[in-house]
Each structure stands twice: as structure tokens, then as C-alpha cells.
Amino acid sequence: MNGKRRAAGPAQKKAPKPPRTRKQKVLRVAKWVGIVGLVCTLLAAGSFVALYQAIDVPKPNEEFQDETTVVSYANGDKLGTFATQNRDIIPLEEMPESLQNAVVAAENQSFWSDSGLDPKGILRAAFSNASGGTTQGASTITQQYVKILYLNQDRSYTRKVKEAILSLKIQRQQSKKEILTNYLNTIYFGRGAYGVQAAAQAYFRKPASELTLRQSVVLARVLNNPTAYDPANGEAAVESLKAGYDFILDAMVGLDYLTEEESTKAQRRLPKFPPVVKEDSYGGQRGHMLAMVKAELERLGFPEEEVVGKGLRVTTTLTKKDMDAAAAGVKEARPEGFSDKNLHVGVASVEPGTGAIRGFYGGQDYLKSQLNWAVAGGQAGSILKPFALAAGIKDGYSLKDTFDGNSPITVGSTDVENQGNSSYGRVNLIKATEDSINTAFIDLTDSMPNGPEKVVKMMNAMGIPPAKAGRRAPGFPSRTRGLEPNVGVALGSATVSPINMATAYATIANEGVYAAPYLIEKVFDSGGKEIYVHEAKKKRVLDEDIAADVSYAMQQVIKTGSGSDASALGRPAAGKTGTSTNDKGRVVSSWFSGFTPQLATSVVYVRGTGVEPLDDWLPSFFGGDFPTATWTGVMTRALEGEEVRDLPTAVYVDGDAPETGHVPYTPPPPKPSKKPSKKPSDKPSKKPTREPKPKPTPTQEPPPPPVPTPTPEVPTTPPVPTPTDPTPSGTPIVGGTGRR
């Protein structure tokens, strides 16, 4: 070796790995997803096992065993109760197979084969809930049974997990037949009925063992939502019931429970439903009270199941004194020989300043008729005129301003007349209200820009609900049928309830501050926790001085006008008479509504269906007679022991009138008279001094011109058409005044 090192050559590089193919990438991702998924599954399974071991089947809910909802008067005295847990447990053998199959088809078609859970349903519900869709429960019959008997009704995920675990445990402890039997003996069907035996009696007056296929399918549909699908709850409920009824029958065919022929035959019609039987505890006015309370609780968001079966404690605004006063006032004034079967009287008393409904009279014994005339009411007639008066003063007119009291008055193509076509000349608004002069109120409404709209707006603000309103809007009811902005709106063709009339007049009594009417003061759960308390909804809708002027004009109705019999009350009061006619000129309603500072009460008399004629039937149909006597009797008893308080005097608010020609009437000075000279004289005799009429003070109205003695009024007809209505020229419309 010569010792020389050989020069090193260049280093050789390793060949690069080829890039992963798309398939390799997918497989790699899938491997890791699988690993993560396996870990999550193991964790979830471990957690589920731990929860399964930790959660024991609890004792059945005690409150579900026997909880009665108690309703009380305002002072806490018991008014009545709602029946709860009306249940008669029966074995599965007494439940017709058609009923069992219908319930399975409606509620859980995989019931006989599933493990008590419906994984597909849970995923579907989870996706819908997570995506913001309609909240879904995805509960099987087993889960529903567990929820009812062992858990509560909240919709939290924690409760759903507990429900699922308990369902699996119950599935291991009870057979499918036992679960179905317990479920059908526990579930709520509406009408206070828990379980199929009570439901069969409540809906069809027969034991469950005698239910037909049609009847079984109805009960299977109703249990899903008793309020929405009970056929006694109106046409919409019947339509919803029928849709689900047909669906269940189709599902029963798919499950081989029925043949196509049997399903088609059953779908032709719903079964016949006997009249709803009311409990004796609902007799007299008590039934009307409890029905109103139940409806109002549901309007406030309490589901029917909670109202009748969760042991609520409900405090109402009603007082026994005012309820008794209403009943006694009606009985005292009712004309002899006219039973409550045909002559219906509705009464309502509302407290100014709070809106609390203190008393009412709904009419016939609730067990004989469930129609509450304190809510149904009748055509309003002239009791709506004070709202036109309020709108007119707000628009710039004064009580002293004069309007056309002559008859007829032509508006557009329509003639409006007073009773007997009597003319009164120019009359101020006090006289127009006192004697309820139709043409003056037509002139007032027509003299305001957009007058009809302003009158309707004033009505709505003061407590008369609009023609269209949401279910949760204030009012009993929450809308006023027929309330349209036409020039004759103040003559009262709209159908108004005594409760809403009393509320609106209470706004005047409360110096222009409206308070929404309400019936429920407080609600406590079965444990005594307050879960609802009324929050007053008040709003100033009328200037205090304008309210005083409206009140003053209405006081004259009782002092010297069409409602003078109400002066027998013996304390300051204001009010308005009213009657209304149909399109044939027949009287269909008679009213008196009025107030003192402490209470506003409204009374209506109607016949039969509420639109049948009173004239040529009652001894007198005028609002100044029987309705006024009823009002006086009710108020005398309701206010017994109460402080006598004054109503405001007139302020004579006077703004910028929107139209000229309505200045207060000023009588002409007397003509001078010449006295004969005692003896001839060359000196000219002195002319007598002309003494001007002293101007009225702010608390006096100017004397009106001489007018003929007004004759009794005849009430309003349906709405007076606006100038755009296709009414023939010269068509007379008689307005309601309620004259005695």
C-alpha cells in the first residue's frame, strides 16, 4: 500500500416515498375516526353503565296520586275545585283489543318489539331540537309511562337521559302487557279523566270494555292533546281530531290490526258524542265561575293537565259579596213570568283603577246552559255614545258646542233619524248625552276628520277590544264582533260583553286611566310556591279633564235623563242606557251601564239565542227600565257599607274645534217693551234698557233652545254605512237611545 487514501465519492440519496393515494388517506382518517369513536363509545358505555347502576326506580309521584286544584275568592275563601285523578283502574282484559291496537298505532308502533326506547326517534328529535326546529319528545309508551309516574314534565336533556335509563329498567321489571296496562290506566284523556275507564265514561258514557272501534280510535287520538282534540272544544278541535283519527286507522292497516275495508268504513265518520255531563259542583253560577277560571288559566299558559291534576291553588279577583249582589239584583228586577231559560241577563262588575273583575252573573244555571252572558253580551246600542263624546272633546270640541239634533240627518246617501223622527234643534253635548239624541252623535262623528276611526280608536283604548285580536289580548272576550269604523259606530251595532263594557266605563271612573280586566290574582303550586302573580297593565288613555267632562255628561243621564231610575242608588253615579235593533227594526238587546268611583257595572238583557226580539214580548224593552232596575239593585248591594264618594264636575275642556258651526248656543236678548205714558208729554219717552243674558259660569251649561218633549227611543240597527257603502239614498236608520 503506498499510503494514499482514495478520494471518497458523492453520497448516495435514499429514494423518496411515493405520496399516499386518496384511498390510503381515506383509510388513515377512517382508522383514527374509528379509534376516537371506539374510545368515545367505551366512555359513553361506561358512563351509561355507571348511571344505570346509580339510578334506581323511584317511588311513584305522590302528587300524581291525588291532587286537587282549589280555586278561591279574593279573600281566600274556597270557591270550588277542579276534579283530579278521576281514575278507575281495570285489567288489560277489560280494555278492548281495538283500543290497545289504536294506542300502539298512534303512540309507539314498535312497542311490542322495542326495548322501551326508540333510537331512531331519539336521533330524529335530537336533530330537530339542535337545528332549532319544533321541539320533539320521541317518547315511547314506556318512556311516557315513566315520565308520568316517576318524573316531572320538564324537557331538559338530563330528564331525558334519566327517562331512558328508567325505561330500560322498567322494561326488565315489567312485561309489555303490564306496561301497556299501567300506561292506559294512568294517562290523562282530558275532561278530568285519568285512564281509559274514566275516559270511556267521560266521552261516551260507557265502560271501556264496551268501546267500539271508532270510539277506541278517538280516545287514542285525544290522549295526545286533550285540549286540542276534545270535540267539545269547537269546530277546530273536531277537524284536528278527524285528521289524527284517519291517520291512526291507516296506521292500524299498516300494522295488520285492520283490513283496508274496516279502515275505510270507520273513516266515513266520527262516532256520536253524547252531551258533556257536568258535575253537580258546577251548579248555579259556580259553574260559570270555574269555567271562566279554567279558560283564563289556560290562556295564561297553564296546560289543562296541570290545571285539573297538579294541585294548584288559585286565587281569583271575585268576591262573594259582588257575586251575590249580581245574582240578587237580577232576581229582584226580573219581570214576573219570564224565566232564565229564554230571558237572559248578563251582569259584570269591574273595579276602576285595577281592572279586577269583582262579580258577574252569567245567566242560567251552568248545568242547564254553559253560555255565559257576561262574556257573550249583545249588540251594544247607545252605551257606546260616551266614547264618541270622549273622542269629540279630545279632537277639540267642548261640552257646550252644539250639534244637529234635528231628524233625520243625511250622511252620504243615508238618513239617520231619532225616535219618532223627533227634532230637537241645535243641542249641546250634555243634552245629546242626557237624552241620547242619535242625530247629534252622527253629526259629532261626521264633524271630526276620520271621525269613525277616532271613535273606534277611543273605544279600543278605553277597554272595548278591536274586531280582530290575538287570543292572549286583554278582554273577555278579546275581540268585539262587528266593531267597524262607520259613521254610526256610536249607535252601537257591535256585539259587546258586559265585562268589557264595565272595563271601559271603569276607565272613565278612574279619571282616564285604563286598567286591563283580569280574573286571576295569584297561582301557587301544590307545595305552596307562588308560580304566577298578576301584573297590572295600566295606561292613561284619556286626559283627566276630558274624563271629567264625559263623566259629567253621563251623570246627567241619571239625574234627569233616560236612566233617571238609577238615582235610587242614593249616591253619585254616572251611566248610559242603550238598546239595539236588527235589520228589521226589532229590538234585540237592552242595556244599562254605569259607575261610581269604586265600581263599574254593566247589565244586558237579551232573548233566546241573543238576537231574538224583545219588543212585543217584554213588558218594556227600554234600557231605562229593567236593565236600570237590575243595575241599581246590583250596585246597592255591592256598595253597601262603602264610602260615598263624589264624581267630578265638568271642566268644559275646549280646544280648537276641527269644524266651524258648532259654537255654543246663545239665546237672543228679549225684545224691548214700551210702557204707555201716564199723561201726554212733549218729551220723547225713554227706551227701556236691554239687559243681556248673564254669561254662564264655568260650572254651568248655557240653556238650550226650547225643544219638544223627547219620546222614548228605539235602539240601534246594524252598522250605518259609510258614504262608500251601497245603501240606497234616503234609507232611514233608527239609532238606539234606551229612553225610558
Side-chain angles (χ1 to χ4, degrees), residues 11-32:
Q12 294 185 357
K13 296 182 179 179
K14 293 183 179 180
K17 292 182 180 180
R20 292 188 180 93
T21 65
R22 182 180 180 85
K23 182 177 180 180
Q24 289 174 322
K25 291 180 180 179
V26 171
L27 290 174
R28 183 181 179 84
V29 171
K31 180 181 71 172
W32 283 107

Side-chain angles (χ1 to χ4, degrees), residues 104 108-114 141-142 176-177 179-180:
V104 169
N108 181 192
Q109 295 181 13
S110 63
F111 170 73
W112 294 109
S113 60
D114 64 35
I141 285 176
T142 307
K176 286 288 187 179
K177 287 187 176 182
I179 291 172
L180 184 61

Side-chain angles (χ1 to χ4, degrees), residues 217-481:
V217 175
V218 164
L219 293 184
R221 174 59 168 168
V222 165
L223 69 82
N224 184 264
N225 190 328
T227 301
Y229 305 142
D230 185 340
N233 289 342
E235 185 177 341
V238 173
E239 292 177 358
S240 297
L241 170 64
K242 184 61 167 65
Y245 173 89
D246 292 345
F247 170 82
I248 294 170
L249 286 168
D250 289 338
M252 292 177 74
V253 173
L255 294 170
D256 293 329
Y257 294 151
L258 293 178
T259 65
E260 286 281 0
E261 183 180 358
E262 289 172 326
S263 175
T264 301
K265 183 179 179 181
Q267 288 188 37
R268 291 174 185 169
R269 62 175 177 83
L270 292 170
K272 293 182 179 179
F273 297 95
V276 178
V277 177
K278 302 296 180 183
E279 299 178 8
D280 289 341
S281 59
Y282 276 58
Q285 295 302 300
R286 187 182 307 277
H288 292 298
M289 287 189 278
L290 290 174
M292 277 188 68
V293 169
K294 184 171 181 286
E296 183 63 3
L297 285 170
E298 291 177 8
R299 189 187 74 85
L300 292 173
F302 291 88
E304 182 186 13
E305 182 178 351
E306 185 174 8
V307 171
V308 302
K310 294 301 180 184
L312 301 180
R313 299 295 182 264
V314 182
T315 303
T316 70
T317 60
L318 300 171
T319 73
K320 193 172 188 306
K321 178 183 179 182
D322 289 302
M323 289 297 301
D324 290 346
V330 170
K331 182 178 180 180
E332 179 183 61
R334 181 183 293 278
E336 188 176 352
F338 290 84
S339 72
D340 58 7
K341 184 176 181 180
N342 292 311
L343 178 59
H344 306 299
V345 183
V347 178
S349 296
V350 174
E351 184 176 79
T354 67
I357 301 171
R358 293 304 185 193
F360 71 88
Y361 183 83
Q364 200 172 5
D365 185 324
Y366 184 80
L367 297 179
K368 297 178 180 178
S369 173
Q370 289 78 56
L371 186 56
N372 185 341
W373 292 100
V375 176
Q379 286 184 222
S382 295
I383 56 173
L384 298 186
K385 287 177 179 173
F387 306 113
L389 176 61
I393 298 175
K394 182 179 180 180
D395 216 39
Y397 289 117
S398 165
L399 286 178
K400 299 179 182 180
D401 287 338
T402 60
F403 294 84
D404 191 352
N406 290 321
S407 181
I409 186 173
T410 301
V411 179
S413 59
T414 303
D415 290 340
V416 179
E417 63 181 30
N418 296 320
Q419 162 61 20
N421 209 25
S422 299
S423 292
Y424 296 81
R426 302 291 298 182
V427 294
N428 61 36
L429 290 175
I430 297 175
K431 181 69 175 176
T433 305
E434 179 182 344
D435 288 333
S436 202
I437 301 172
N438 294 333
T439 56
F441 279 94
I442 293 293
D443 189 17
L444 170 64
T445 303
D446 193 48
S447 296
M448 292 185 284
N450 300 313
E453 289 78 9
K454 289 178 179 177
V455 174
V456 170
K457 184 177 180 181
M458 181 61 70
M459 291 181 186
N460 297 159
M462 293 176 68
I464 303 298
K468 296 180 180 180
R471 181 175 175 270
R472 295 202 174 188
F476 294 79
S478 60
R479 68 185 189 93
T480 303
R481 183 159 45 91

